[in-house]
Amino acid sequence: MPSTARATSLTRRGLLAAGGALGLGAALAACGGGDEKGKDGGAAPASAKSGPWEFKDDRGTLVSAKAVPKNIVAFTGTAAALKDFGVEVTGVFGPTYVEDPKTKEKKPDVQAGDLDIAKVKVIGNVWGEFNIEEYLKLQPEVLITDMWEQNALWYVPEEQKDKILKIAPSVALWAAGKSMPAVLQRHADLAASLGADVRSAKVKEDKARFEAAAERLRKVAQGKKDIKVLIGSGAPDTFYVSTPVRPTDTLFFQELGITLVVPDKLDPTGWFELLSWENVDKYKADVILLDNRTGTLQPEQLKAKPTWAALPAVKAGQVFPRVTEPVYSYAKCAPLLEDLATALENAKKVS
């Protein structure tokens, strides 16, 4: 879901839409491109590796090109998903690496999946960072990203969007409001349109693993109805309790029968309830799934919060990492279900 630190920014920027560009001169004219809306949608067959290409994205926009795009620039997590399906990208934007302040060594961010961060051009690594000049140099044929709010392109800065969307067509896929299997299928559809063999033995194996993990989790949930699971994220001054009705993973968890804490007083974004650390015990929970993203407080850091340490789930050692922004491939989502099943199998009622 939107980062706790970024939720306000997402709300302020509202709905993104392609509009009149501020102008980048001849460079923009040379790159050209734009999105066209149409009634007919769906992905082109995987075998269509040459000739016209089109794909109807989750905005309802029919995106087209004279040939299947090869120079692809994508949000990091989306790029990682495409790689698992067999599609390589040229450049990425979004959390890609974490740099050691002393050695300057760059290690892949959790959202980078199996991307080789040394081989892709990173044109932005943090919220609000998108280097248009470097983007132009890549000669992008399509820009691909997530969508957490209708028509809002994830990690495409609001103040630069008109310029960015003028350079190349854009594709947006839902990362919220739909259950995980549906979102995974859409990523597979996109990969197929870009020439990936989504019926390969590897993808079939990954999908079978995902489906087996889902069935395992369903069976575990049936025997753990009394275990309450809270979805949370820590910041220095605030603990965010997430609603389970919007993220793709928690929607799926609910469908599988897991008992999730539902906050009753959401903030204006509709994603969280914000609790002070003094009131962090408002909701009874036996298990806490804690946001694992870079920039959020992790268990070691939270030890300094006395009220956190006093929570029953914390005292029982029943706090587990949550991949809040999943890489939407079967290969990456199957372990999420397996890990949660293991956690619940061993969880005890403590609240």
Side-chain angles (χ1 to χ4, degrees), residues 6-195:
R6 304 165 189 144
T8 302
S9 297
L10 180 61
T11 302
R12 278 202 305 266
R13 78 187 196 178
L15 302 180
L16 293 179
L22 299 181
L24 288 177
L28 283 179
C31 290
D35 295 358
E36 297 179 4
K37 291 190 175 182
K39 296 181 180 179
D40 297 323
S47 59
K49 296 183 180 179
S50 62
W53 170 83
E54 63 180 31
F55 181 83
K56 190 172 185 180
D57 76 357
D58 290 347
R59 295 170 296 183
T61 299
L62 186 64
V63 188
S64 60
K66 293 181 179 179
V68 176
K70 299 300 180 186
N71 282 352
I72 300 168
V73 176
F75 170 68
T76 301
T78 313
L82 289 173
K83 180 177 178 60
D84 285 346
F85 283 114
V87 176
E88 300 287 346
V89 305
T90 304
V92 295
F93 55 95
T96 307
Y97 61 82
V98 180
E99 186 174 79
D100 187 299
K102 295 181 180 179
T103 66
K104 302 302 180 182
E105 179 185 2
K106 295 179 180 178
K107 295 184 178 180
D109 185 272
V110 65
Q111 294 187 61
D114 292 333
L115 289 176
D116 186 338
I117 63 172
K119 291 185 178 180
V120 293
K121 179 66 178 179
V122 181
I123 63 173
N125 192 51
V126 297
W127 182 259
E129 181 179 84
F130 192 112
N131 190 317
I132 294 182
E133 288 72 24
E134 293 299 324
Y135 182 52
L136 277 167
K137 290 178 183 177
L138 294 175
Q139 298 183 311
E141 296 171 86
V142 67
L143 179 147
I144 303 171
T145 190
D146 286 345
M147 185 168 60
W148 293 84
E149 304 281 353
Q150 182 66 46
N151 297 331
L153 304 188
W154 195 228
Y155 271 81
V156 175
E158 169 70 13
E159 63 276 12
Q160 295 177 285
K161 70 177 179 67
D162 289 339
K163 293 181 180 180
I164 293 168
L165 296 181
K166 186 68 175 179
I167 296 170
S170 63
V171 169
L173 295 181
W174 275 117
K178 305 286 184 182
S179 185
M180 183 176 276
V183 174
L184 284 166
Q185 183 60 56
R186 289 294 287 150
H187 282 73
D189 291 344
L190 176 59
S193 82
L194 293 169

Side-chain angles (χ1 to χ4, degrees), residues 286 309 311-320 346 348-350:
D286 305 291
L311 293 176
V314 177
K315 292 167 69 174
Q318 295 183 168
V319 177
F320 305 98
N346 298 312
K348 297 179 181 179
K349 183 70 178 175
V350 295

Side-chain angles (χ1 to χ4, degrees), residues 224-293:
K224 296 284 186 174
K225 292 292 186 182
D226 61 331
I227 299 295
K228 294 182 179 179
V229 180
L230 182 146
I231 312 298
S233 185
D237 300 319
T238 308
F239 185 70
Y240 296 80
V241 179
S242 300
T243 177
V245 301
R246 298 186 72 181
T248 67
D249 60 336
T250 54
L251 267 174
F252 192 39
F253 298 162
Q254 283 188 318
E255 292 172 1
L256 294 174
I258 295 173
T259 303
L260 297 176
V261 171
V262 180
D264 56 27
K265 191 177 180 181
L266 298 179
D267 78 331
T269 71
W271 285 94
F272 319 97
E273 179 171 354
L274 282 60
L275 299 178
S276 67
W277 283 106
E278 290 76 15
N279 297 314
V280 73
D281 60 352
K282 176 178 177 179
Y283 296 104
K284 295 183 182 299
D286 305 291
V287 169
I288 297 174
L289 298 184
L290 189 67
D291 190 340
N292 77 333
R293 287 177 295 179

